[in-house]
Amino acid sequence: SYTPTYDPAQVDPGVTAAIANIVGRAQLEVRVGYFGLCVNPDGGSFLCSNNATSLAEQVSVDQDPLNLIWVASTFKDSIVFPYLLIVAIILAFVTFLLLATFPGWHEEHDARTGSDIDIKPFPSRPVSQVALALIFIASIFVLVSVLWQHTASVAAATIAQDLGNGSVKSGVGTTAMVLGWFGFALFIVVTIGLLVMILSIHLLDKLTDE
C-alpha cells in the first residue's frame, strides 16, 4: 500500500480504491528470472521454481488476489528470452579457445650476438580473423538481448504499476541490468583489442615488406 497517483487522464480514479479493497493486506513479492520465478508470499523466505503452477498451489487467494504469479509467469514466457545470451557465451568460449592457440614468448639463440633473445611470433591471421568475427557476432547478440530485456522490463514494470496504482509496486532488477551491460562492455573491449591487433600486424607486415 502506498499513496496512489491521480491524473486528469484517469476516467475512473475510484478503481484505485476498488483494487486496494481486493488486495487487502496481501504483501506478495514476485521476482522473475531467465529460467524461473521466486515468490515471497508473506515477507518470509522465497519459494522458487520454473513452474508457476506449483508456486500458485502454495499460495492462498488472500496472498495473491491479483494473480501476480500468473502475470509474472506470462512475462517470463512471452518476453524474457535468454537464448541469445547463451549463444553469445558459446561464441565467446570458442573465441577464448582460439586465443589460446596464439603463440607465446619463447627464447631463441641469436647466432650473431651469441645471446638468447625472447621472441613472440605473430598469431595466425586466419585464426585471428575468425576470433574477431565470432566475438563481434557475440557482442551483437549480447547488445540485442540486453537492450531487448531492459526495454521490455521497464515497459512491463511501468504498466503493471500503473494498473495496480496504489497497490502494486514494480521495478527492474538492477543487478541483472548491470551484469548485462557490463558483459556487453567486456565483449566490446575484446572485439576492439582483436581488431587493433590485426590491423597492427597488417601494418607491420606492410612496413617489413617495404
Side-chain angles (χ1 to χ4, degrees), residues 45 48 55-56 64 72 113 115 132 139 143-144 159 185-186 192 206 210:
S45 59
C48 297
L55 291 175
D64 188 13
T113 61
S115 60
L132 175 61
S139 300
L143 173 62
V144 171
I159 292 173
L186 291 180
I192 294 175
K206 274 191 172 182
E210 294 175 358

Side-chain angles (χ1 to χ4, degrees), residues 186-207:
L186 291 180
F187 275 46
I188 288 297
V189 169
V190 176
T191 302
I192 294 175
L194 278 172
L195 180 61
V196 170
M197 184 196 72
I198 292 173
L199 293 177
S200 300
I201 292 175
H202 180 67
L203 179 61
L204 286 174
D205 284 341
K206 274 191 172 182
L207 293 176

Side-chain angles (χ1 to χ4, degrees), residues 149-185:
Q149 301 305 325
H150 198 160
T151 305
S153 299
V154 170
T158 302
I159 292 173
Q161 182 162 317
D162 284 352
L163 287 175
N165 188 18
S167 298
V168 177
K169 275 280 190 182
S170 60
V172 179
T174 303
T175 304
M177 291 300 101
V178 169
L179 288 176
W181 288 112
F182 183 69
F184 170 69

Side-chain angles (χ1 to χ4, degrees), residues 39-72:
V39 177
N40 186 341
D42 52 10
S45 59
F46 277 91
L47 306 172
C48 297
S49 175
N50 59 357
N51 188 335
T53 303
S54 66
L55 291 175
E57 291 173 349
Q58 302 179 62
V59 176
S60 66
V61 175
D62 293 338
Q63 292 173 324
D64 188 13
L66 297 181
N67 293 321
L68 291 184
I69 294 178
W70 171 71
V71 173

Side-chain angles (χ1 to χ4, degrees), residues 88-100 130-131 134:
I89 291 172
I90 294 173
L91 293 177
F93 180 72
V94 175
T95 302
F96 178 78
L97 294 179
L98 292 176
L99 293 177
V130 171
L134 291 178

Side-chain angles (χ1 to χ4, degrees), residues 1 19-28 41-43 61-65 167:
S1 177
I19 293 177
N21 290 331
I22 295 174
V23 171
R25 296 187 178 183
Q27 295 182 357
L28 180 78
D42 52 10
V61 175
D62 293 338
Q63 292 173 324
D64 188 13
S167 298

